[in-house]
Amino acid sequence: MAKLEPYSPTPAARAGRIVMTVTPFVIGIVCVLLSFVPFGRIVGSPLTPAFPLMAIYYWAIVRPEMFPPLAVFAVGVLFDLLSGGEIGLWAFVYTVTYAVVVTQRPVVVNAPFSAFWIGFAVTAAFAGALAWVIVSVIHGLIVPPGPVFWHMAVTVAVFPIFAMLFGRFETRVLSGG
Amino acid sequence: MEPNRTALPFREFSHRISLIFMLTLAAALLLLGRAETYVFDQARQVVTDLAAPLLEIASRPVAATRRIIERTDEYAYVFDENERLRAENARLLEWKEEALRLQARLARYEALLNVQVDQSIEYVSGRVVSDSGGPFIDTVLVNVGREQGARSGLAVIDSDGLAGRIVATGPKASRVLLLTDLNSRIPVVIEPAQYKAILAGDNTSWPRLEYLPVQSAVSPGDRVVTSGDGGLIPAGLPVGLVIQTGSGELRVQTFSDRGRLDFVRVLQYEFPSEVKLQDPPSVLEGPAAEPAAPAGDGPRAAAE
């Protein structure tokens, strides 16, 4: 009778597993830091896209098991700490948005890119509206919706570029192809 | 896009539990964040100080690209620019004569009146290393920290005028609250009639003027400078020009452009608060009585 050998992963498999666990956090942190790099100054505009939202949406649809809720929450908290705004605002908005996207995943998961993009536009609108409502409630006044509208519009506009980059990363690194 | 490969029920279940837990945690953080400010302020400072060097490195190529674009623009319009500068130079030379004359006159008056001239304000220069990073806040990080002499409350100016003030400092980096932020309130004076008001940011590009007297005759194009009230920000720093919106509301177009903030100065202004106390004495005394003259002498002497 064959004896069952205890499974011991090779160092390469172990390294691969570490990469798989750490990758979402690293991507999330890079996206948060990118949000604070003053790209807008090149063209003289204070607008910056919501890079973390792109990462959250992409990974929630394509590989939710790679981007767990803990990573989403951590990304949101880091963003809040760096931004100097309300603590927990983006942590809450991103986690709620992630929850909504994960539940609606079957709608866009195998759809063409245009549907994937429209899905992102709806997600960005939802996240922007939620954040706007929370900030308005916290400050007890109707905050001008213009800045958050443009913020999300820019995010939706540049999303295809980042979706392509994430896609490349996914096929090259994570799929091992 | 491939379908989820790990559709194991257990994995799905743990994912869901984790999601619910994180949602609750995020909601709790949102509520707690407003109460436990000290803890979060400390955490924020640590994260900011750690991220500032990275952001500084990342912002260099951005600044370089911007300079290349600006230079290209300048080459394209070099002839027009030259003409414009020639005209401006001629105009400024006239102003220079006028300014020199006024300066001499002012110095004479100050000497006559023994005026206490404002002390010159020292400053530390730094670079803006980060963007605000969100649509609801207008703050930037500068690479001037406590070690370089920055502290909360100090005014920050760029080459055009007041940009904002420091609200948090770490050893190496500080956070600057810009004039357009929802939480920014700056006491200002509107020239030339010297009406006082508060410049209140409201998350739009043009801050509002609050507490302006009803009868004030402020019109678009008037200059707005800091009033120095409250002692936090020195008086007379240029802030912007009054503009009128379509709805007739008066707002301010700031001189400093938050989309182009790069090099800034942190003014190390110290309000002259050490004023000698002039407590009134507990018992008010009249002037010392003169020795009494013999009665009747005074008037007669005066008459003589």
Side-chain angles (χ1 to χ4, degrees), chain B residues 52-298:
Chain B
L54 289 176
L55 289 171
E56 189 174 347
I57 293 166
S59 71
R60 292 228 165 132
V62 172
T65 315
R66 204 191 98 193
R67 268 196 292 277
I68 291 169
I69 291 174
E70 278 178 355
R71 202 153 291 171
T72 319
D73 268 9
E74 280 166 17
Y75 278 130
Y77 297 104
V78 72
F79 184 75
D80 289 348
E81 186 69 4
N82 209 3
E83 285 290 300
R84 196 184 64 79
L85 287 175
R86 238 188 268 273
E88 189 174 301
N89 200 22
R91 210 166 52 243
L92 288 178
L93 278 174
E94 288 172 23
W95 274 106
K96 188 189 165 194
E97 290 301 316
E98 181 74 24
L100 284 174
R101 209 167 47 241
L102 286 173
Q103 192 183 23
R105 191 189 290 179
L106 188 68
R108 205 164 63 237
Y109 287 161
E110 280 175 352
L112 278 172
L113 295 168
N114 197 17
V115 171
Q116 185 68 43
V117 182
D118 288 342
Q119 290 173 343
S120 60
I121 301 164
E122 290 189 357
Y123 59 82
V124 195
S125 296
R127 276 194 58 215
V128 172
V129 294
S130 94
D131 225 343
S132 65
F136 301 112
I137 27 167
D138 264 331
T139 63
V140 291
L141 294 180
V142 291
N143 60 355
V144 176
R146 262 199 305 273
E147 288 172 6
Q148 289 83 31
R151 60 188 152 76
S152 270
L154 293 184
V156 177
I157 60 169
D158 70 350
S159 54
D160 300 318
L162 184 70
R165 67 187 166 89
I166 291 181
V167 285
T169 48
K172 304 247 180 257
S174 306
R175 182 176 299 283
V176 179
L177 186 76
L178 301 181
L179 300 176
T180 43
D181 188 277
L182 206 57
N183 295 306
S184 169
R185 299 288 182 276
I186 305 282
V188 291
V189 160
I190 298 147
E191 293 179 337
Q194 302 290 320
Y195 288 114
K196 289 197 173 184
I198 297 284
L199 187 75
D202 65 349
N203 214 16
T204 61
S205 301
W206 307 284
R208 282 176 297 135
L209 283 171
E210 282 185 352
Y211 306 111
L212 201 60
V214 182
Q215 302 294 331
S216 57
V218 172
S219 49
D222 286 356
R223 240 171 82 93
V224 180
V225 299
T226 54
S227 73
D229 286 348
L232 204 58
I233 292 172
L237 297 178
V239 174
L241 293 175
V242 175
I243 54 166
Q244 194 161 25
T245 60
S247 58
E249 194 183 6
L250 291 175
R251 284 176 177 261
V252 173
Q253 169 81 62
T254 55
F255 290 133
S256 138
D257 182 356
R258 64 180 166 150
R260 294 189 184 277
L261 280 178
D262 196 0
F263 285 98
V264 291
R265 286 176 189 177
V266 177
L267 301 183
Q268 293 175 312
Y269 174 68
E270 193 78 53
F271 184 68
S273 55
E274 284 178 17
V275 180
K276 227 196 303 179
L277 280 177
Q278 291 184 326
D279 287 332
S282 51
V283 180
L284 283 173
E285 290 166 3
E290 285 178 22
D297 273 11

Side-chain angles (χ1 to χ4, degrees), chain A residues 77-176:
Chain A
V77 170
L78 185 66
F79 190 93
D80 285 329
L81 288 175
L82 263 178
S83 77
E86 267 76 32
I87 284 283
L89 170 69
W90 291 103
F92 184 74
V93 170
Y94 286 158
T95 317
V96 172
T97 309
Y98 175 81
V100 173
V101 172
V102 162
T103 53
Q104 300 305 312
R105 190 170 168 262
V107 182
V108 282
V109 75
N110 281 323
F113 183 77
S114 53
F116 189 52
W117 195 6
I118 292 169
F120 182 68
V122 175
T123 308
F126 171 78
L130 181 63
W132 179 76
V133 167
I134 294 172
V135 172
S136 295
V137 168
I138 286 174
H139 285 274
L141 53 91
I142 294 176
V143 177
V148 69
F149 173 79
W150 288 113
H151 177 65
M152 289 304 172
V154 170
T155 311
V156 174
V158 299
F159 177 69
I161 302 167
F162 280 81
M164 195 187 76
L165 289 176
F166 290 147
R168 283 259 168 104
F169 182 80
E170 199 223 341
T171 48
R172 290 270 167 87
V173 181
L174 303 181
S175 305

Side-chain angles (χ1 to χ4, degrees), chain B residues 10-23:
Chain B
F10 175 73
R11 192 142 197 172
E12 193 94 325
F13 178 72
S14 77
H15 191 267
R16 194 152 291 179
I17 291 289
S18 155
L19 188 55
I20 292 168
F21 177 70
M22 285 303 156
L23 274 174

